[in-house]
Amino acid sequence: EPEVTQTPSHQVTQMGQEVILRCVPISNHLYFYWYRQILGQKVEFLVSFYNNEISEKSEIFDDQFSVERPDGSNFTLKIRSTKLEDSAMYFCASRAGGGNQPQHFGDGTRLSIL
Amino acid sequence: QKEVEQDPGPLSVPEGAIVSLNCTYSNSAFQYFMWYRQYSRKGPELLMYTYSSGNKEDGRFTAQVDKSSKYISLFIRDSQPSDSATYLCAMSVDGGFKTIFGAGTRLFVKA
């Protein structure tokens, strides 16, 4: 069964550094998402991306965050200047086109900011 | 009031029991309702996906949506120790964009 893959599984970064989290969505999917889950808390929506542009973003997704689909297969989340509170699991999800299709999630990247 | 409320548990049941998991929500615009299962340090895995009100069954799992009460349920029949996980309810307005998750209910099924 096709799946969403995320790399790396664990990223350790010094506070203030830039980090890029990578995702390969399911190949024929058209909608892409990033979510965040702080340890012990609920999964929170960050951003959705469709047709090479952001379609919706949450208040969490401020100017330090950006997303990109640099080629036909990868979808990335960049955090420009990391803060301690950015430590969390980051999940990528993708969804097929057409109505009434669910989102499928990867296993996440655990981001630890020191 | 939170958009989606879900009792975090934990919920502990013996093997073979029927499990009932529930969420309430406040946004009447939600039309798509999902249940995901999440094992420790893994991503959410889609279990059930329903549109609008009604019931949907898939094997041992039944999802119910009551939009008039703003209440959704997931029933697990003949629960197994392998069902031990966190169960997340999730919902969205239009299916394509932002999905709002509940806090998740931790379920333990004892052999």
Side-chain angles (χ1 to χ4, degrees), chain B residues 24-43:
Chain B
T24 59
Y25 62 94
S26 58
N27 187 352
S28 58
F30 286 139
Q31 296 193 80
Y32 296 88
F33 303 92
M34 288 74 72
W35 286 95
Y36 287 87
R37 178 173 62 195
Q38 187 177 27
Y39 293 110
S40 180
R41 302 232 184 246
K42 302 286 276 185

Side-chain angles (χ1 to χ4, degrees), chain A residues 31 33 35 37 42-43 45 48 50 55-56 89 91 95 100-107 110, chain B residues 4 32 34 36 38 41-44 46 49 51 88 94-103:
Chain A
Y31 297 82
Y33 311 82
Y35 291 82
Q37 187 175 32
K42 66 177 186 177
V43 176
F45 171 80
S48 59
Y50 171 71
S55 45
E56 191 169 5
M89 286 289 290
F91 293 108
R95 171 182 173 268
N100 207 21
Q101 298 293 328
Q103 296 175 27
H104 295 268
F105 284 75
D107 279 338
R110 181 156 67 103
Chain B
V4 179
Y32 296 88
M34 288 74 72
Y36 287 87
Q38 187 177 27
R41 302 232 184 246
K42 302 286 276 185
L46 181 70
Y49 181 68
Y51 170 71
L88 312 172
D94 56 12
F97 303 124
K98 180 169 67 174
T99 294
I100 305 298
F101 281 82

Side-chain angles (χ1 to χ4, degrees), chain A residues 32-80:
Chain A
F32 313 109
Y33 311 82
W34 284 101
Y35 291 82
R36 178 182 82 175
Q37 187 175 32
I38 294 170
L39 185 63
Q41 297 186 25
K42 66 177 186 177
V43 176
E44 299 174 290
F45 171 80
L46 292 178
V47 65
S48 59
F49 191 86
Y50 171 71
N51 200 26
N52 279 321
E53 61 183 22
I54 290 173
S55 45
E56 191 169 5
K57 60 182 181 179
S58 71
E59 55 276 6
I60 302 169
F61 194 88
D62 61 21
D63 291 345
Q64 71 162 343
F65 290 92
S66 62
V67 291
E68 192 177 31
R69 187 154 162 82
D71 53 41
S73 59
N74 290 285
F75 180 51
T76 62
L77 174 69
K78 182 191 292 186
I79 309 175
R80 259 180 279 282

